Each structure stands twice: as structure tokens, then as C-alpha cells.
């Protein structure tokens, strides 16, 4: 018998693998890195999703309302309208009569803004001043940012009571709103219509507060971008105005107007160094009359000293700050005073005060305003250099004109006069001799006037006489060159001793403007200038009146009025006025420009 041989597996044959039970392998999904501007919405969505797990049936039914509320809160980018929308949405979500958002100030110990919903304008007027967040439950939420829920807020020991006219409130819910991890403010709800605020209300409002923080953060970024854009546009406008080659006073007025608009201030004020020290107010943009124009703040002022040293000064309330010039600072509250500094040199200062009780300037506003002042100072320095170059070119041209008048015109007139005198001696007709004699006399007068014009042309700015009468005569003699004749003039009263420096400076500018208009537009052959230092203004005060009358073509319909507007603005800045009337031509032809101001 053959023994049975057990099966021996072939070592070269692969072993069959026994079937293994299938086990599910978890799917590994790498989390996607959040893209820019996605991190906060993703975090908010995650928090919202986690917080919605395990909700009651009643609360789950309110989820669509919550989602609609979140969508509504995220609509729009303007900050204040976003805060209004958050208040309204929160009140609807929690069925509350009143809602508010208190914006915490930069110091973190009070409120810089307070936005309400459910409180009408008439009620707000009766309440008066809005809460500052230093006391009561509002202050407690600022110091300890955590959710507070009360059935009767008046019974809480932290409550400070309501001011007169405030509506009655019992139930209360308050919670912080965080933006980028920092406390932006607090959301307040009061007077739930159905009784007290529930846990479900707290749950829903926490999700809404998270979404509100994202919406506020986006709105703040948008507002900051728009604010920077406005300040940049304002700097461009100032630079253009200063370098346009126009009147320097007009350019400084543009600086004041732009600063006031951009800083949302009650006034924009430009100050330049005064001759005797201190700072003089040279341009004012304000709704009220510019009574402060020309006022010099003495160098002894602590604020002036800091400004002249190139340091900015920020005031919480200018009306109560002992360092301020009390009469000028009385109407103002928060104020920025910035040096106009460029290349290590302080050219002046820029002030942007807000009204009393207005919100203080933020750190971003202070930074942007300082940059604006630096840009304005650079443009001011460049404009001064440009005017110096133009002035030098004018002086060189005036020297050439003066030489030509002396070497050519006067010599020829003198030779003509000698020829006429010779002809006069040879003439035997008395009428001819008399006529020639008058012509010779006229030539002598003409030669004297030309010599006066030559003297005026050759006179440098440092040699300018100080007397107002002399300066007026100088302007008249200088105008005689382009006009081709010398305007007649008449003085009434003691000009030099009566008219003040500021009024006199503006009167000279007004005379120059009026004579320039007569030369460029009037086509006049006769001009009369009258300066009356004993005039009486319409309000009964003593003043000085300048009249420049011509026999030209008058003011055409639809013609430019920029020069006349300049005259009016100069007069009104001093408390005076300016207007036009008929001239001295036949039948009232031509134009009379009248400019008057207090002495």
C-alpha cells in the first residue's frame, strides 16, 4: 500500500489571501486656508453653527428670522447707517420697543456716540444730552464687557436712574459688540413687548452681535478709506490753488475752507507770523462773520509758542482751556491747531475748531489733518518761491521800461519842447504863441509825470513808503503807465493818521483791483480816484470810502465778476461793503466802484 502523502503547498505558488472585513476609512480633508477678508465671516459662521446645535423647537423656528437679520445687518457700508440698521434689526429680532448702540471712545472709559431706535426726535429733545457712559448700567458694561439681563433695570444697584423726559423702561438686555477682537461698543435692548428677555433672546442676539461686529468692521474700513480719499482730494485742491498764481489771500482762503470741510469743523483758520511777533489770522472760513480776521495772537501765548516750535496742539474744549485767546475761543469746543511746517521752517498754523459739545477728533482725523497741514505748508513754500520768481521777472521788466522811458521818451519830449519854444519865439501871431506856450507847459507836466512813474518803477519793495497817502499816489502813478494817462485823485480827511493798517492794506489792494479793471475792461479815457477818510458807514460807524470812477464802456452783461467779488469779499471781511454805480461819462456812462470799510 502506498502511504497517503499529505498536500504540500508549492512554495512558488502564491498564497491565497483570506478575505478581510471592509472597514470604513475616514476621509481626510485638509482645511482650506481662509482667504483675505474671509477669516472673520468664517469664524462667525462657525460660531453661529455651533451655537445653533441642540436648539429647542421654538428657537429653531426663529432661525430663518435670525438669518434674515444677519443678512440685513451686513447690507451697506456707511458706518452710521449700519449702526441704525443693527439697532432696528436687533429690536425686531428680540421684539423690543427700544434698542441702542453705544460706541466706546478711544480711551475706553466712555461713549463717543450713541445710536438709538424707538426713541423719537421729540423725546430725544426732551431728554437732552445723550449718555456719556461713565455711570450707571452703560458704564458697567464698558468696565465689564459681559452680557447683562434684567427683569427690572430700575431695581439694579448699578442703575443711575433716568433723566427727565426719558421713557419708562423695565426689562433690559445688554451685551458687547467686538470688532477684530476689540470692544467696539455695546448693544442695549429694553422693554420686551411680551415680558422679559429669555435665554433664546440672548442666544439669538449673541449670534447677531457677532455678525454686527463684522459689519461694523467693514464699515469702518470703508469709512477710513473714504476719509483718506477726501483728505487727499483736499490736499490736491489746496496745492492747485496755491500754485495757480492767483491772489495769495484767495489761496489761503481755499486752505481754510478745505480744512474746515474735511475736518467737519465749525471753522477753518489760517494764521501767519505777524511782523511784531505772534500769529496773525489771515484767512477764516466760517458761517459767522469773520470778525477775527487780522487779529494777532501774541507770542507770549503758550499755544503760539508750541506752534512756532513746530508742535501740534489738540484741545478737548477750547472755550475752557486757559491757554487759549478767550474772546476767539469762546464759541468752540474740540480743536486742532497744527503747524504749517516744511523743510524745518514753520510758515504759520492751521486751526480747525468744532462747536462746543461736538464730538472730539479721533486719532485717525488728527493724523490725516497733520498730513494735510504738511502738504499745505509745502505748497505754500512752493507758491512763495514761484511768486518770488515772478516778482523778480516783473522788477527786471520794470527796470527795462524805466530805462526806455528815461533814455528815449523823456529825451524826445524834451527835444520836442525845445523845438516848440523855438517856434514860439519866431511866431508873430499872438494866438499861435499862446497855443505853443500851452503845449510846452503840457509837455513839462508830462515829463514830470513820466519821471514820477520812472521813480515808482525803480522803487523796490523794501523802499516802499509807509504813509497810506503816499502808497495811494504810488498806485495811481504806476497805473498811469499802462493807462496812458494819470488818473485824477482827491483826498478827504486825514488819511495817514486815521485809517488803520489792516484797513489801509486792503484799501490799497482794492484800489489796485479797481484800476486794473478800468485798464483791462473799461476802455476809459478818464478816471477819478477819491479817498474819503471821514465817511460814515450805513450802520453809523466811522469809515473810509474809496471811489474809482471812469468814463468807459461800463460792465457788460454776462461779463466776469471775479474782480468785483474780490472787492466785496475784502470789504465784508472787515465789516464793510462794496458796490458799483454809474460812471463819469456822458449820460452816466462808465462805472463807479465804491469800496468802504471801518477805520
Amino acid at each position: 500500500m502506498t502511504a497517503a502523502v499529505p498536500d504540500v503547498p508549492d512554495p512558488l505558488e502564491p498564497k491565497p489571501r483570506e478575505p478581510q472585513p471592509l472597514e470604513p476609512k475616514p476621509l481626510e480633508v485638509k482645511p482650506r486656508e481662509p482667504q483675505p477678508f474671509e477669516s472673520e465671516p468664517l469664524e462667525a459662521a462657525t460660531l453661529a453653527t455651533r451655537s445653533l446645535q441642540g436648539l429647542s423647537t421654538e428657537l429653531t423656528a426663529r432661525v430663518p428670522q435670525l438669518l434674515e437679520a444677519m443678512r440685513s445687518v451686513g447690507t451697506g457700508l456707511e458706518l452710521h447707517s449700519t449702526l441704525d440698521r443693527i439697532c432696528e434689526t436687533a429690536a425686531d429680532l428680540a421684539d423690543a420697543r427700544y434698542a441702542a448702540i453705544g460706541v466706546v471712545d478711544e480711551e475706553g472709559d466712555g461713549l463717543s456716540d450713541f445710536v438709538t431706535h424707538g426713541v423719537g426726535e421729540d423725546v430725544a429733545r426732551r431728554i437732552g444730552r445723550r449718555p456719556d457712559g461713565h455711570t450707571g448700567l452703560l458704564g458697567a458694561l464698558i468696565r465689564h464687557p459681559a452680557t447683562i439681563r434684567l427683569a427690572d433695570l430700575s431695581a439694579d444697584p448699578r442703575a443711575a436712574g433716568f433723566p427727565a423726559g426719558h421713557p419708562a423702561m423695565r426689562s433690559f438686555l445688554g451685551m458687547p459688540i467686538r470688532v477684530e477682537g476689540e470692544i467696539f461698543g455695546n448693544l442695549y435692548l429694553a422693554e420686551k413687548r411680551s415680558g422679559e428677555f429669555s435665554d433664546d433672546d440672548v442666544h439669538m442676539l449673541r449670534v447677531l452681535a457677532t455678525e454686527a461686529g463684522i459689519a461694523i468692521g467693514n464699515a469702518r474700513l470703508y469709512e477710513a478709506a473714504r476719509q483718506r480719499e477726501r483728505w487727499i482730494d483736499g490736499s490736491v485742491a489746496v496745492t492747485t490753488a496755491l500754485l495757480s498764481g492767483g491772489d495769495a489771500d484767495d489761496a489761503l482762503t481755499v486752505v481754510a475752507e478745505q480744512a474746515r470741510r474735511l475736518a467737519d469743523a465749525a471753522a477753518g483758520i489760517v494764521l501767519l507770523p505777524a511782523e511784531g511777533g505772534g500769529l496773525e489770522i489771515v484767512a477764516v472760513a466760517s458761517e459767522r462773520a469773520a470778525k477775527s480776521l487780522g487779529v494777532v495772537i501774541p507770542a507770549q501765548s503758550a499755544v503760539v509758542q508750541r506752534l512756532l516750535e513746530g508742535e501740534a496742539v489738540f484741545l478737548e474744549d477750547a472755550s475752557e482751556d486757559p491757554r487759549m485767546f478767550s474772546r476767539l475761543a469762546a464759541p468752540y469746543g474740540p480743536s486742532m491747531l497744527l503747524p504749517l511746517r516744511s523743510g524745518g521752517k514753520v510758515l504759520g498754523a492751521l486751526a480747525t475748531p468744532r462747536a462746543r459739545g461736538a464730538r472730539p477728533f479721533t486719532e485717525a482725523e488728527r493724523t490725516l489733518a497733520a498730513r494735510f497741514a504738511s502738504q499745505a505748508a509745502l505748497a505754500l513754500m512752493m507758491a512763495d518761491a514761484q511768486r518770488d520768481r515772478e516778482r523778480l521777472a516783473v522788477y527786471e521788466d520794470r527796470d527795462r521800461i524805466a530805462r526806455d522811458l528815461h533814455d528815449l521818451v523823456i529825451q524826445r519830449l524834451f527835444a520836442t519842447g525845445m523845438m516848440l519854444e523855438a517856434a514860439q519865439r519866431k511866431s508873430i501871431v499872438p494866438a499861435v504863441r499862446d497855443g505853443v506856450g500851452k503845449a510846452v507847459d503840457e509837455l513839462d507836466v508830462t515829463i514830470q509825470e513820466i519821471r514820477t512813474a520812472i521813480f515808482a518803477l525803480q522803487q523796490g519793495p523794501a523802499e516802499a513808503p509807509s504813509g497810506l497817502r503816499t502808497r495811494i499816489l504810488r498806485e495811481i502813478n504806476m497805473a498811469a503807465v499802462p493807462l496812458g494817462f494819470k488818473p485824477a485823485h482827491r483826498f478827504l480827511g486825514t488819511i495817514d493818521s486815521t485809517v488803520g493798517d489792516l484797513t489801509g492794506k486792503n484799501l490799497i489792494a482794492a484800489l489796485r483791483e479797481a484800476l486794473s479793471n478800468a485798464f483791462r475792461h473799461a476802455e476809459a479815457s478818464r478816471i477819478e480816484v477819491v479817498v474819503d477818510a471821514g465817511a460814515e458807514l450805513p450802520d453809523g460807524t466811522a469809515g473810509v470810502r474809496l471811489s474809482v470812477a471812469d468814463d468807459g464802456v461800463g460792465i457788460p452783461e454776462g461779463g466776469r465778476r471775479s474782480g468785483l467779488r474780490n472787492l466785496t469779499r475784502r470789504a465784508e471781511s472787515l465789516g464793510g461793503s462794496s458796490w458799483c454805480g454809474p460812471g463819469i461819462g456822458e449820460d452816466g456812462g462808465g462805472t463807479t466802484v465804491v469800496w468802504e470799510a471801518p477805520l
Side-chain angles (χ1 to χ4, degrees), residues 7-17:
D7 292 335
V8 179
D10 187 352
L12 298 178
E13 189 173 331
K15 295 180 180 180
R17 289 196 289 179

Side-chain angles (χ1 to χ4, degrees), residues 33 78 89 92 127 141 155 169 179 271 390 448 579:
E33 291 293 330
E78 201 277 324
T89 304
D92 291 342
I127 295 173
L141 262 172
M169 295 180 182
V179 177
L271 305 95
E390 294 173 353
Q448 291 300 322
W579 69 91

Side-chain angles (χ1 to χ4, degrees), residues 397-415 446-458 481:
D397 199 37
R398 285 168 56 177
D399 287 340
R400 180 188 58 78
I401 295 172
R403 288 194 303 269
D404 291 345
L405 287 173
H406 182 270
D407 297 341
L408 300 177
V409 178
I410 288 183
Q411 296 301 326
R412 295 190 67 177
L413 288 175
F414 187 74
T446 303
I447 290 173
Q448 291 300 322
E449 290 179 347
I450 292 176
R451 283 175 174 167
T452 302
I454 291 172
F455 174 73
L457 287 170
Q458 292 177 334
V481 177

